[in-house]
Amino acid sequence: MAEVKIQAESRTEFGKGAARRIRRDHKVPAVLYGHGTDPVHITLPGHDTMLALKTANALLLIEVEGAESLLALPKQVQRDPIRNTIEHVDLVIVKRGEKVQVEIAVHVEGDAVSETLVVLENATILVEAEATHIPDGVTVSVEGLEAGAQIHASDLKLPAGTTLAVEPDTLVVNVTAAQTAEQAEAELADAEAEAGIERDEPEAAEPAAAEA
């Protein structure tokens, strides 16, 4: 994974008021921590940060004037729930050659046999990889799989240098028989009954009036 260089600024103002002023300037308040160092409070450029964090586990090279450049991974990203803008970023410092644990995406490709349902039980999987060689994700094929087939974490083909950080029997993909309309209706009726919802019985059709 390529490093993304971010030119940051030192931050000496804290609190909600300071954070609002930073965001009004189209910047993002952030904190750097890890490797036994004291937390470093910085301000990131809003647009560059937004673009960089579109990639999961983006490896950032944080440059602050007058300080040593640091490699970091996003640990927590707070976003505005309505505008989806970045409100705050927690960054963890990493070193070249260091192993880190991260969640990577699981991508499903191919088609199972007809009348089956492919359920992605875990959309991400925890792995351990070198900080500068974190994979973008892992792909699994369900081509031709029949109902009852399962793919576990141990079945994933991870890139060289990347290992699982979860139990090998963790279920990732489950192929089941597709539900029929009758089964769906029966489940809905059971759920309504448990919730105390009574269905209205259809009214019987009135007999047609006899012709004169």
Side-chain angles (χ1 to χ4, degrees):
M1 181 179 296
E3 300 168 13
V4 180
K5 187 180 296 185
I6 300 287
Q7 193 66 45
E9 302 171 5
S10 296
R11 178 162 57 99
T12 56
E13 289 186 304
F14 309 101
K16 292 183 178 179
R20 281 194 294 267
R21 286 192 294 273
I22 291 171
R23 295 182 193 116
R24 278 200 298 268
D25 290 337
H26 306 290
K27 298 178 181 180
V28 179
V31 62
L32 270 167
Y33 60 90
H35 281 276
T37 63
D38 292 332
V40 179
H41 298 273
I42 57 175
T43 299
L44 304 175
H47 182 69
D48 291 348
T49 303
M50 179 192 67
L51 292 178
L53 296 184
K54 284 185 176 181
T55 301
N57 302 314
L59 182 62
L60 307 180
L61 180 62
I62 306 297
E63 295 187 338
V64 182
E65 186 176 354
E68 177 188 3
S69 298
L70 296 170
L71 281 176
L73 289 170
K75 183 68 173 179
Q76 185 177 30
V77 180
Q78 298 175 17
R79 297 180 184 271
D80 183 284
I82 298 174
R83 295 176 296 176
N84 201 35
T85 53
I86 299 175
E87 298 277 282
H88 188 274
V89 181
D90 284 0
L91 299 168
V92 60
I93 299 169
V94 296
K95 302 291 185 182
R96 299 184 192 279
E98 174 187 11
K99 291 278 190 176
V100 294
Q101 290 191 355
V102 292
E103 297 274 354
I104 63 171
V106 177
H107 305 289
V108 177
E109 67 176 12
D111 297 308
V113 300
S114 61
E115 299 184 356
T116 59
L117 181 65
V118 176
V119 181
L120 183 59
E121 300 287 353
N122 281 284
T124 62
I125 199 78
L126 186 66
V127 300
E128 186 173 85
E130 198 268 319
T132 60
H133 291 87
I134 297 172
D136 295 330
V138 59
T139 300
V140 294
S141 174
V142 296
E143 186 66 34
L145 294 186
E146 299 181 353
Q150 294 183 330
I151 298 174
H152 297 89
S154 58
D155 301 318
L156 300 178
K157 293 181 173 60
L158 297 173
T162 301
T163 57
L164 285 176
V166 296
E167 292 297 325
D169 60 353
T170 300
L171 183 59
V172 179
V173 177
N174 194 19
V175 181
T176 64
Q179 194 176 48
T180 65
E182 291 77 10
Q183 290 172 330
E185 178 66 20
E187 283 192 10
L188 177 60
D190 290 342
E192 290 177 345
E194 288 182 6
I197 301 173
E198 295 184 3
R199 292 192 175 191
D200 294 331
E201 295 295 332
E203 295 182 1
E206 295 184 0
E211 293 184 1

